[in-house]
Amino acid sequence: PAIIVFDPQNPRMKEYKGIEYFPVDLSYRYELPLTRAPRPEKMVLMSTRGNQRDAELVGRFDFLVDQTPCGLEVSRLLEPGSGEENLSVFFTDATSGKETYKLGRYVDVRKLSNGKYLLDFNTAYNPACAFSDYYSCPVPPKTNALAVSIRAGERDSHYH
């Protein structure tokens, strides 16, 4: 749970010019089977404020970016308001800290009617901590550091 307050008189509000995105690129949109963890496994994600965030390792996606094999862990935060189907991928890639937010980005994953899952990097977004130090955002696990560039989704806000 959180309370978000915007102060329209804050001088930083004048700096805000909106959110920038890479052009939509459907080559970064995947319909994938989820390789489930043999049994759901509790894990701890650290947050930007040094807190531990309980999560469940649900499984993993394996896919190609161009011809490079990649894999990402899929998790579910074990927090109020996070349902069984609220799956996320917290990741970094070769654009992190250059073209995209240095901490990394998030992608929400949804199950499709065919049993596969949609992993669409065009919907990748920056965590709230990209805009303010007052947020406590999950830090992507080291296992989700991609060596390739994912030039899709939200770019660095440059406002933090």
Side-chain angles (χ1 to χ4, degrees):
I3 296 175
I4 300 172
V5 178
F6 292 99
D7 178 3
Q9 303 303 315
N10 185 318
R12 289 195 59 185
M13 290 297 286
K14 292 178 182 160
E15 298 172 21
Y16 182 73
K17 295 175 180 60
I19 297 173
E20 294 179 27
Y21 296 89
F22 287 98
V24 171
D25 184 340
L26 296 181
S27 69
Y28 291 112
R29 185 180 190 276
Y30 301 88
E31 287 188 20
L32 300 166
L34 174 64
T35 304
R36 291 220 173 246
R39 29 181 216 291
E41 209 176 294
K42 279 201 172 180
M43 62 188 288
V44 173
L45 295 172
M46 294 307 296
S47 79
T48 53
R49 301 199 41 97
N51 302 323
Q52 293 184 348
R53 308 279 294 265
D54 290 330
E56 178 180 71
L57 173 61
V58 177
R60 138 181 211 98
F61 290 131
D62 290 297
F63 55 99
L64 295 174
V65 174
D66 294 321
Q67 297 302 315
T68 304
C70 296
L72 290 169
E73 292 180 347
V74 180
S75 57
R76 180 176 73 84
L77 291 174
L78 298 175
E79 298 176 349
S82 184
E84 291 289 322
E85 295 300 317
N86 295 121
L87 305 181
S88 300
V89 172
F90 306 113
F91 74 99
T92 60
D93 67 288
T95 69
S96 299
K98 300 172 189 118
E99 297 174 83
T100 60
Y101 184 54
K102 64 185 175 191
L103 173 82
R105 294 179 289 161
Y106 303 167
V107 177
D108 297 327
V109 176
R110 71 178 168 92
K111 189 171 186 178
L112 301 171
S113 60
N114 64 8
K116 291 185 178 181
Y117 288 79
L118 180 63
L119 175 65
D120 187 352
F121 288 106
N122 292 288
T123 64
Y125 60 95
N126 292 331
C129 53
F131 301 95
S132 171
D133 290 330
Y134 296 105
Y135 291 99
S136 180
C137 301
V139 175
K142 292 187 186 319
T143 52
N144 278 4
L146 298 174
V148 298
S149 294
I150 303 291
R151 288 195 171 87
E154 192 170 343
R155 298 179 66 121
D156 189 1
S157 63
H158 300 292
Y159 298 110
H160 181 67

